[in-house]
Every structure is written in structure tokens, then in C-alpha cells.
């Protein structure tokens, strides 16, 4: 969230969401007790579902935290929140939100004056993630779209965690993604996990690996600075960049056909203006990490050495699942 917007918020809301038994209560319970989280003024904890794990109200009281439970979505209204404001005068809000009530609805609803969401965290039971994606994918993607952090817990070594990360990154490249093992320890499972040779010249990205390349270069730009890379992509042109620029990328599906979106990075070549929107090309380019207005920050910029028309790959879509 933009810094200037946060400065207008008098009462920050820390939004914690995730499916039932995903670890929301444990995460909040741990956070409330941490020294860095202590303030003198009251904290209001609003829980929108009751899981198997209950809050220790004595512990909450010791940390000046007041618990209110909302059981039905129709009760979660501006009027209810304003009543809480008048009754408790909280200095901040922790909102344990039920994603089945629609995170989008929450983001669009009117809040009491001065209230505003400053951080969104999604908790995920790693062992159940594939079930979520098979049965409630659109709901999961909705709550992850604007999340600042997605925390996978209870992760075992046999789970396809790299696929889990890609599923989040395609809809929210800026999200921080953390993985905890079954003992609650943070783990990094992604070092040297890409399926192509980063020491090759050029680095050849197979059609099925474009999604991995797109996510990994965003996460680890230092790995790619100065490297040559070759891949197939669709030509996209935009008025947001000059005539010498285009974006060779792919269409990616994260949930269903309605959620398909284009992913790719800016590419520069003097012959870009001759390319036709929507044509398939094989690009060989040198990667630079630099600021672009279209990114609003530093990011990958491809300097194409060769561009050749090509046939579409057997599967034109990149799938994140």
C-alpha cells in the first residue's frame, strides 16, 4: 500500500485470512505475544469464524487485546464496526477474516472513518493446498491477489512447494511467500530449483518452463543480470513504452479461462516497430536489471539480439496450479 495512503489511516487493520484450520489463530496468538507488537493502547481482535483452536482470553487481556467474534457475514457491517469503535476506542485492529465471506467484498466495503487495511497476510496449510486449488481456487486467488505475505505452514519435503509459489506469484508478483516445515521452522527450498541451465549461453527456456522463468527472474533478478536467454513469446505492444519496445510473453491461466492474463517483461530492439501484435517470435536477448516507468521500479529489461517469427508451441497457455 502506498506510503501516503497509510499516513491517512489513524487505525490500522492487520488482515489475516485463510481457510478454516489454516493456522490463522496460531499465527495471531503468536504475534500478539511478541515484544515488537506491544503497544499501550487497546488492540481489537475481530474473529470471523471459530476454528478448533480457541484464543486464550486471559493471554489476550494481558496484552491489552479485546476479542469480538462475528459468526455471520450479514453481521459484519459498517454499523457493527462503528459500534466497536465507540465501545473500545482501539488503536489498531487485527481482523481474522473468513475468505468465504469474500475478501473482495471486505476491500470494497465502507469502513469507520480513519480505519484502513495496512497489511494483508494469508495463511495456508501446505498439506491441504492442492485440495483448496482443486475445489476453491477462485476464492484462494481472490484472497491472495493483494496479500503482502502468503505463509505456507505444515510443509513436508514431498510437497511441490515450487509449484505452490508459482501459483501465487502469477497473480501477485509482489507477495512475500514463506514456508514453514512441520516443526514451525522457516525453510528455503528454492535455491537452484529452476529446470534450466543458468550457466548456459544462452539460457534456453523451454515452452513448459516459461512460467518458472517469469517468476524466478522477478524473485532473483541478480541471477539473470547480464545473461543471454532465448524463449518463445507472443508479441504485445503498448503505448506505455516507446516504439523500440515490445513485450514478448505468454498468456497464463491461474484459475479458469476468465482469469487468464498476459505475463512478460519489456524487450527493446530497433526493429520492434515492425513486429505484429499477437505474432509468435523466438527471442534471444541479453538481460539487464534497470528502472522502467512501466514497472515503477527496477525490473528485467531484455535487449533483443535476435528476433525470429516462429510457430506457436503445442500449448500456448502457461498454467499455474
Amino acid at each position: 500500500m502506498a506510503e501516503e495512503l497509510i499516513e491517512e489511516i489513524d487505525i490500522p487493520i492487520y488482515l489475516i485470512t485463510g481457510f478454516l484450520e489454516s493456522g490463522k489463530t496460531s499465527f495471531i496468538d503468536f504475534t500478539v505475544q511478541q515484544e515488537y507488537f506491544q503497544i499501550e493502547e487497546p488492540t481489537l481482535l475481530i474473529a470471523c469464524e471459530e476454528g478448533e483452536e480457541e484464543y486464550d482470553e486471559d493471554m489476550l487481556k494481558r496484552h491489552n487485546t479485546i476479542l469480538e467474534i462475528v459468526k455471520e457475514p450479514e453481521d459484519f457491517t459498517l454499523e457493527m464496526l462503528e459500534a466497536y469503535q465507540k465501545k473500545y476506542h482501539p488503536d489498531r485492529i487485527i481482523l481474522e477474516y473468513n475468505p468465504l465471506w469474500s475478501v473482495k467484498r471486505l476491500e470494497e466495503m465502507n469502513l469507520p472513518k480513519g480505519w484502513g487495511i495496512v497489511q494483508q497476510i494469508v495463511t495456508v496449510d501446505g498439506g491441504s493446498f492442492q485440495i483448496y486449488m482443486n475445489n476453491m481456487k477462485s476464492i484462494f486467488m481472490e484472497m491472495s491477489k493483494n496479500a503482502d505475505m502468503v505463509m505456507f505452514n505444515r510443509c513436508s519435503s514431498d510437497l511441490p512447494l515450487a509449484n505452490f509459489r508459482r501459483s501465487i506469484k502469477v497473480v501477485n508478483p509482489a507477495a512475500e511467500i514463506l514456508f514453514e516445515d512441520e516443526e514451525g521452522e522457516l525453510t528455503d527450498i528454492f535455491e537452484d530449483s529452476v529446470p534450466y541451465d543458468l550457466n548456459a549461453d544462452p539460457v534456453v527456456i523451454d515452452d513448459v518452463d516459461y512460467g518458472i522463468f517469469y517468476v524466478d527472474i522477478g524473485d532473483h533478478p541478480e541471477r539473470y543480470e547480464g545473461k543471454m536467454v532465448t524463449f518463445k513469446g507472443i508479441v504485445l505492444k503498448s503505448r506505455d513504452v516507446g516504439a523500440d519496445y515490445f513485450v514478448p510473453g505468454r498468456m497464463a491461466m491461474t484459475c479458469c479461462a476468465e482469469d487468464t492474463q498476459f505475463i512478460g517483461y519489456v524487450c527493446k530492439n530497433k526493429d520492434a516497430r515492425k513486429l505484429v501484435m499477437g505474432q509468435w517470435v523466438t527471442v534471444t536477448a541479453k538481460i539487464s536489471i534497470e528502472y522502467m516507468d512501466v514497472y515503477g521500479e527496477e525490473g528485467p529489461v531484455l535487449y533483443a539480439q535476435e528476433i525470429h517469427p516462429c510457430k506457436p508451441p503445442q500449448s500456448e497457455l502457461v498454467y499455474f496450479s
Side-chain angles (χ1 to χ4, degrees), residues 122-151:
V122 177
T123 59
V124 188
D125 179 347
S128 302
F129 179 67
Q130 289 166 306
I131 298 174
Y132 299 155
M133 295 299 281
N134 289 337
N135 297 282
M136 294 181 284
K137 191 170 186 178
S138 61
I139 297 174
F140 187 85
M141 290 306 177
E142 180 182 275
M143 65 176 162
S144 301
K145 186 175 182 180
N146 295 316
D148 298 289
M149 179 190 297
V150 178
M151 178 175 290

Side-chain angles (χ1 to χ4, degrees), residues 11 14 143-144 151 205 251 264 297:
I11 301 178
Y14 298 91
M143 65 176 162
S144 301
M151 178 175 290
I205 309 299
M251 298 302 296
E297 59 184 0

Side-chain angles (χ1 to χ4, degrees), residues 26 30 151-157 179-187:
S26 297
F30 173 82
M151 178 175 290
F152 289 83
N153 53 62
R154 308 163 196 161
C155 296
S156 58
S157 58
F179 293 86
E180 289 185 349
D181 61 23
E182 293 159 306
E183 281 70 49
E185 297 295 325
L186 290 173
T187 179

Side-chain angles (χ1 to χ4, degrees), residues 156-188:
S156 58
S157 58
D158 61 331
L159 292 173
L161 301 184
N163 290 344
F164 293 1
R165 181 185 65 163
R166 290 195 293 274
S167 298
I168 305 301
K169 284 292 188 177
V170 72
V171 295
N172 186 351
E176 181 180 6
I177 301 175
L178 301 178
F179 293 86
E180 289 185 349
D181 61 23
E182 293 159 306
E183 281 70 49
E185 297 295 325
L186 290 173
T187 179
D188 181 6

Side-chain angles (χ1 to χ4, degrees), residues 11 39-44 64 66 81-93 115:
I11 301 178
I39 59 174
E40 294 183 4
E41 297 78 8
T43 296
L44 174 60
N64 203 11
I66 305 150
L81 298 178
E82 288 178 333
Y84 289 163
Q85 168 68 27
K86 185 176 181 179
K87 182 177 181 179
Y88 300 119
H89 302 286
D91 199 62
R92 66 184 176 189
I93 310 296
W115 289 33

